[in-house]
Structures are given as structure tokens and as C-alpha cells.
Amino acid sequence: MKWEENVRRVTPYTPGEQPKQTNIIKLNTNENPYPPAPGVAEAAAAMDVEKLRLYPAFPEQTALARLLAERYHIGTDQLFIGVGSDDVLSMAFLTFFDSNKPIFFPDITYSFYDVWADVYRIPYERKALNEAFQIRPEDYKQPNGGVIFPNPNAPTGVRMPLEQVEEIVAANRDVVVIVDEAYIDFGGTSALPLIDKYDNLLVVQTFSKSRNLAGMRIGFACGQPKLIRYLNDVKYSVNSYTMNTAALELGRAAVQDEAYFEACCKKIVATREAAEERLSALGFVFPKSCTNFIFASHKTVPAREIFEKLKENDIYVRWWDKERINNYLRITIGTDEQMEALYRALDQICG
Ligand SMILES: *Cc1c(COP(=O)(O)O)cnc(C)c1O
């Protein structure tokens, strides 16, 4: 077909499966195993549906923005709120990575980065992690069009000390450095306090993992007001009202309950630490995780085989048929009961 010559062709990102059955143990997409804060259900029940007649408020002028700004000790002019951090990151790619030089990101990382780079026609180079799956800051000191990496990294779960994050930001003052902190609440030190010092730093976080709200789609970015203004200019040139009234309201309720947030994070970290012991005993090896998942390889049984057999047992984990990582499974930390079922199945498969 002639019109196909004018199509923007891309290979889309493949998310983890969202199976229809409800009886499965779902440890494949790093969702939080616990429900949203109780206040979220109350806010949903109290929602004034009549208000949906109107366009939503500008996110930066909402209670959600005020609470987030308070929580993170920043101004609302240093905050950008979007439809999950995928939306925030996608807008940031479009806004800040408009150079002929390649942007840099790790070879093993969030598999959406190369997809955005491809769809926006941004050249990129992957920098290899070392054998311990660590980012090597020196790799990010050559001329580039921008830098992005998650900290802690996904799917490895490995964190980078804040000094090394700062080293990369400081070495790249002529481009924007994006730190994707999707898992920061489960371990690692946030780069957020560095935004006052570096006008080229954008820190991105999400409500999908540590705030138990993947289905509501809320993410945010923090940076100096100038960076946020540029981001808003592009966002308001694409689609103005992406944050809907319900998300703004339920997100507010989630941020309001700091105690619940802390208790859930603490619980997941405790379950993760127990999982490290149990998985080791079952013959797995893995780098130290600072996230809500463990990236594990079995000493004798191939990852693919474990992945398939777990699925037959209605336990879903994530496996990629990709160079360097095809003998690893990314196992999301679930509830203690879900993890016990996992260990029982693994004992059958690997024992
Ligand atoms: C989950 C995840 C995101 C995106 O999450 P949203 O649900 O879009 O907020 C971004 N980056 C990394 C590294 C993730 O793992």
C-alpha cells in the first residue's frame, strides 16, 4: 500500500502479561501486592460525579500537587504530574532529547527507553553494565545528547550510590540527565535534593509501585522551574488534559496517608529480605535488590524452563529472551502467602 510509506513505524514496548484469570499469582509486573491506602477507597466513594462534566483542573494547581510539593520539599513550579511515569518520561524524551548526538542509557535497563528513542527518532547508545550489573559512571562522560537511567536499575534491582548519580549529572551539565526513580522507595537514595544544585537534572517517580496505584496512572517529575516549564510547553502542545479528575483526586488521597505508604514499603522490604534467603537456599543467585523485585538466575535449571513451569502452576514471573539476561527471572515481591506458594513451586521445579 502506497500510504504505508508515510507511516511512522515502530516496534512497541511489550508489557508483562495481564492474564484474565483471577486465581493466578501475579509476580510479573512489579505491581504492589497490597491495596491502595484506605483513604483512596473513601475518596472514590465520595467522588462528585457531577464534576466530571467539567474539564479537569491543571495538575499543578491541585491539592495533589500541593501535597507532593510539601512531601518532597519543593515548589509546585518544580513539579510536573503525568499519566504514570511512562507519560512523564515520554514527554521528557520529546522535550529534552532533541540533539543529533546520541543519548546514553544502560544496555540492561527499562525496555521502554529504546522504544521512545525510536518513535521520536532520537539516536542512542547503550552503555554496558559491568559483570555485577552496575552502571559505570565513566561510560557517561563522553559527548552525548542526554542521559537516562533508572536508580535503582530495572530489571536488575541494583542501586547506584548517590555520589555516582551526582558524578554523572555533574559531568553532563550541557545536557539533561533523567533519573528514573520508579523503585526508590524500596531502597537507594533519591537524587531529588540535588535538583536545586543542578539545572540539568530531572528526577522522575511513580505512584504505580510504592503507592499501590498502577491502575490509576500517576507519575511525576521534579526539576528546576525552567526545566518544568519546557516540559509543560511540550505537554500542552500534544494533549492538555491528560490527568483526569479521578486520578488527581485519588492520587491526593494516596499521598495524604504517609503512614500506610511507609508500612507497605517496609513490609515489602522485609518480604524481599526473606525471599533472598529462601531463593538462595533453592539454588538461585542474584544481585542485591533495592527494589520490589529480585532478578535471579538458577545455578542449574534454565530460566526459561522455570518461567514456563511456574506459569503451568499459575505463577507468573517475567523472563526476557534477550542477550545477557535470558537466564534470569524477574520476580516481583508479593505477599508472604504468594511467596510461600512460589517457594513450594520452585522446590518442585528446581529441587
Ligand atoms: C514501572 C516503571 C515505570 C513506569 O511506571 P508507570 O506505571 O508508567 O508510572 C518507569 N520506569 C521504570 C524503570 C519502571 O519499572
Side-chain angles (χ1 to χ4, degrees), residues 32-68:
N32 200 302
Y34 302 108
V40 173
E42 286 162 28
M47 209 151 61
D48 182 3
V49 172
E50 203 277 333
K51 266 206 315 212
L52 297 180
R53 191 173 56 75
L54 303 171
Y55 280 108
F58 294 113
E60 59 272 23
Q61 293 171 7
T62 58
L64 171 61
R66 277 198 306 280
L67 285 168
L68 277 177

Side-chain angles (χ1 to χ4, degrees), residues 84-86 89 110 113 150 154 180 182-183 206 208-209 217-218:
S85 55
D86 284 343
L89 289 165
Y110 189 36
Y113 298 158
D180 179 353
Y183 301 101
T206 176
S208 297
K209 282 80 185 225
R217 315 302 305 128
I218 306 169

